[in-house]
Amino acid sequence: MSRGRFITLEGGEGAGKSTQIRLLAEALRACGLEVVVTREPGGSKGAEEIRALLVSGDTGRWGPVTEVLLHTAARRDHLERTVWPALEAGTWVICDRFFDSTVAYQGYGLGLGAEYVAQVQRVALGDFRPDLTLILDIAPETGLRRAAVRHGGEDRYERMDVAFHHRLRDGFRAIAAAEPGRCALIDATATIETVQARILDAVTRRLDLPAS
Ligand code: TMP
């Protein structure tokens, strides 16, 4: 049996990842693939416990380095318990956020720098990387307006100032520019159907899909 593929979706607040992940999972299942949808921080019991420490409370609750370590510890547990076993079993995994969020939010947003965050990822995860990363790009003001109508208290990052959100958007765009083989930058201001079509196009062009 061939190994599953690992697809990650990234972007700032309110970029529409949840809707697009649901639609992508439906499309892949229609091709006959086994698909698991998961998220970060979270996706395993321990990582969900760490998530609760990260997404609520005061914006300055953690120092930036501690925050990177917490996200990365959650990620390691998530990989060991959820993602790697699924990929080994031939299942495709769609993950709502992955290490690019740590580069963007903590590296660019909190100012630790992309290289520092990348080093921590290498120590904790080795050279494991997504097969494809879809980065949904949207102006922070638009995304934050959309995000304000959801989230039951999981809004610690949304409450960071708007300059933080501009820095992390710059971060995501820099990641997409630096790694065009792995990443596709998708304009997320279009309609749900248009964004979905762009995502399916990127997945079809970059990964081998079975004929449906
Ligand atoms: P979500 O709202 O998309 O579920 O993500 C939870 C929050 O965690 C979101 O505001 C982004 C933030 N985050 C980081 O700051 N660093 C990370 O490494 C990850 C995975 C998420």
Side-chain angles (χ1 to χ4, degrees), residues 13 17 41 51 71 75 97 101-102 105-106 151 157:
E13 307 298 322
K17 287 183 288 95
R51 178 185 175 95
H71 276 292
R75 178 161 305 130
R97 300 194 179 281
S101 278
T102 320
Y105 279 74
Q106 283 69 46
H151 276 318
Y157 290 99

